[in-house]
Each structure stands twice: as C-alpha cells, then as structure tokens.
Amino acid sequence: MAGVSTLQNGSLSKLQSLNGIFAIYKKEGPTSADVLNALKKALLKEAGVANPNPRKRKKQPLKIGHGGTLDSNASGVLVVGIGEGTKMLTTMLAGSKKYRAVGELGKATDTLDVTGNVVEEKSYDHITKEAFEEKLKQFTGEIMQVPPLYSALKKDGKRMSVLLKQGQEVEAKPARPVTVYSLSLQDFSPPLFTLDVECGGGFYVRSLVDDLAKGLLSCAHIKELSRTKQGQFTLEEHALKEECWTLADISQALQPCPKPSGQQKNAKKEKSKQTPGPSESKGDDGDHNSD
C-alpha cells in the first residue's frame, strides 16, 4: 500500500508541475465546461485523487481552464491551459480561429443555429452560387457585427442567453468591430452551403450566416459548426481525443510557458484583481450554451 501511495503522490506532483497549453477535441453535445470538467476528473483520477469534484472551485489540486468556449452543438479544437498556462489563455481568446460552418437557407431561428426555434421562413430560389460568392466579399476584412442575442455576453452580470430563457427582454448589444481574415464558399447545394472562415476574437459565425442571408434577401441558420484551428493548434494535428486525455499524452503535447519571475508574479496578482479570467471572455461563436 505504501508503494501505491508513493506512486499516486508522484503522479499528482507530476500533474501539478505541468505548466502550458494544449488542445483537446470537443465533440457535439456537451458544453465546453462539461468537457473541461471531464478532462480534469480524468487527470485527477489517474493521479490518485479520491472522488475528484472538478466543479468545486476552491482548494482544487489542479489549476485548469479553456481559452474560448464552443457551444454544445459545436465541435472541434478547445485550447486548454494548465498551471501557469491558464494565464496564457487571454492571448488565445484574442487570436486567430478557423471554423467550418454548414448553413441552411430559407429558415431563421432565434438562436441563429439548429438548436433554436424557427422564427422566419423565406424563399432562397433566387440565390445563385455566383451571387453568394460575390456577397461574401462584403464580409471580409474589418467589419462591424452585432452579436447574437443568445450569447454568453452579459447584461447586469448575467448571461444574455440565461436572461432570455427566463423570459426576460434583452436588447441586442451594439455592433462592434471584428476581423475576418478569409472567407470562402466550399459547397453550395441549396438549401445547404458550407463556409470556411478565419477570424479574430469576438467573432460570431452565427451572426455572419444570418447577416449573409439577409444580404441575399433570404434567411438562414447554422446546422453544423466546427472549430478547425485556434492559434497554432489544428484539429488534425493537435486536438487530443478523449482516449488520449492522460498524463503521458498531455505531457507530450504540452506547449510549455516560461516560469514567471517573482516580480512578474506580483504584477500579475495585482492585474488579476482588476481583469476577468479566461472564462469571462468578451464572447465568441458558439458560446450561448456554455456553463
């Protein structure tokens, strides 16, 4: 028993010594918070922590967070920070992301995706592939975008999506500048179409699809959404699937962060008192069903 205890303590010490960022694969269904908690529970269990409760925020033996929420209906790359790596996540929130989105013309929903209720139907027979591709040019570069009502953006300290589900009236947030680095039509088979999007932080693909269809005198919503890249992490090369959520695999995939000096630690402590953490982001696509 003593040998087992020593081995478990060693595993926990090794886990707690990890500092950096890595990427995992989030499947459709669970929220980003659910996925993060499952990852945390798996690592703590492997390290020998009895009955780990990943949702308990205080006195946790493991510091872990994610750098950009994906909605429960979305899949793809979810960047995770561990130890000191959690302080690198604000950079991931603001950085470049790539998405592949499948939209459906002719139907608009209140959430702008397939999880919502249909609130409008319009004809799309007049839309050609050429007209669609021409319209895409208006949504490339620096543009102004109104975030969806159903989002993790907050009003009076509460998420707008939560307020709406409670039956409260919520006004749309004002349009804000966002960046689209590239936008291309991969498939056009009406009513379905597929887009590849590379964008900056705070961008909503749901709003893009909604605005794009309105510009074509129709309406649309997202049926499928996948994040294929975030920062340096790609879906094909870096996103660890659930069977690889082990100490060994994560240690190998981890991109370490430099250890801060004592002076840097003190400065960050002061800043943390004023600055929201990674989970309190300014918003990103697919965040309306997050924790």
Side-chain angles (χ1 to χ4, degrees):
M1 290 294 292
V4 173
S5 178
T6 301
L7 180 62
Q8 289 177 341
N9 288 337
S11 295
L12 182 58
S13 295
K14 185 176 181 182
L15 179 60
Q16 291 173 326
S17 71
L18 296 179
N19 294 285
I21 54 176
F22 60 99
I24 61 174
Y25 173 73
K26 180 204 167 299
K27 62 184 179 182
E28 289 183 31
T31 67
S32 295
D34 290 337
V35 171
L36 191 69
N37 284 327
L39 169 67
K40 194 172 185 178
K41 187 174 182 179
L43 291 174
L44 290 173
K45 187 176 180 180
E46 183 185 351
V49 177
N51 301 316
N53 181 4
R55 293 185 180 277
K56 186 178 180 182
R57 294 186 180 274
K58 292 184 179 180
K59 296 183 180 179
Q60 278 285 354
L62 180 62
K63 189 178 180 182
I64 197 167
H66 67 74
T69 306
L70 273 174
D71 169 63
S72 57
N73 188 56
S75 63
V77 177
L78 188 68
V79 175
V80 176
I82 189 168
E84 292 294 316
T86 56
K87 297 173 183 177
M88 301 168 65
L89 294 176
T90 49
T91 303
M92 300 308 300
L93 284 167
S96 168
K97 305 173 184 70
K98 287 185 178 180
Y99 294 92
R100 171 155 288 195
V102 177
E104 180 179 354
L105 290 164
K107 294 179 181 179
T109 69
D110 50 6
T111 61
L112 309 187
D113 67 12
V114 73
T115 66
N117 299 312
V118 175
V119 293
E120 185 180 23
E121 295 190 34
K122 279 190 173 183
S123 171
Y124 55 85
D125 297 340
H126 60 284
I127 302 174
T128 63
K129 182 180 179 181
E130 291 73 24
F132 202 108
E133 290 180 319
E134 185 63 29
K135 184 59 67 174
L136 291 181
K137 296 176 183 177
Q138 297 180 18
F139 294 91
T140 305
E142 297 285 337
I143 65 172
M144 297 298 290
Q145 186 184 70
V146 177
L149 283 176
Y150 280 85
S151 74
L153 298 178
K154 294 183 178 180
K155 176 189 176 185
D156 301 327
K158 293 187 177 181
R159 293 185 182 222
M160 290 170 61
S161 58
V162 173
L163 294 173
L164 283 164
K165 289 173 183 177
Q166 291 174 347
Q168 298 187 38
E169 289 188 10
V170 175
E171 289 185 9
K173 293 282 186 178
R176 58 187 185 177
V178 293
T179 305
V180 180
Y181 299 108
S182 65
L183 178 59
S184 60
L185 180 66
Q186 297 300 309
D187 184 68
F188 187 71
S189 306
L192 303 181
F193 60 92
T194 302
L195 297 174
D196 275 357
V197 187
E198 182 176 6
C199 55
F203 182 84
Y204 287 87
V205 184
R206 286 182 286 135
S207 291
L208 167 70
V209 167
D210 183 60
D211 292 339
L212 181 61
K214 286 176 179 175
L216 291 164
L217 303 179
S218 185
C219 59
H221 67 277
I222 283 185
K223 285 184 69 69
E224 299 174 21
L225 181 65
S226 176
R227 184 189 286 157
T228 57
K229 187 172 185 280
Q230 183 174 3
Q232 66 269 45
F233 299 102
T234 64
L235 184 60
E236 295 80 8
E237 295 180 25
H238 304 103
L240 298 176
K241 294 195 174 180
E242 197 165 350
E243 58 268 24
C244 296
W245 293 357
T246 66
L247 185 54
D249 286 310
I250 289 171
S251 297
Q252 187 173 2
L254 193 70
Q255 298 201 9
C257 56
K259 291 184 178 180
S261 65
Q263 186 177 358
Q264 287 174 319
K265 283 183 178 180
N266 290 333
K268 286 182 179 180
K269 281 182 181 178
E270 288 300 315
K271 187 176 180 182
S272 67
K273 293 177 183 178
Q274 307 167 19
T275 308
S279 61
E280 301 176 66
S281 73
K282 64 181 179 179
D284 222 341
D285 206 287
D287 63 4
H288 62 88
N289 284 332
S290 59
D291 59 329

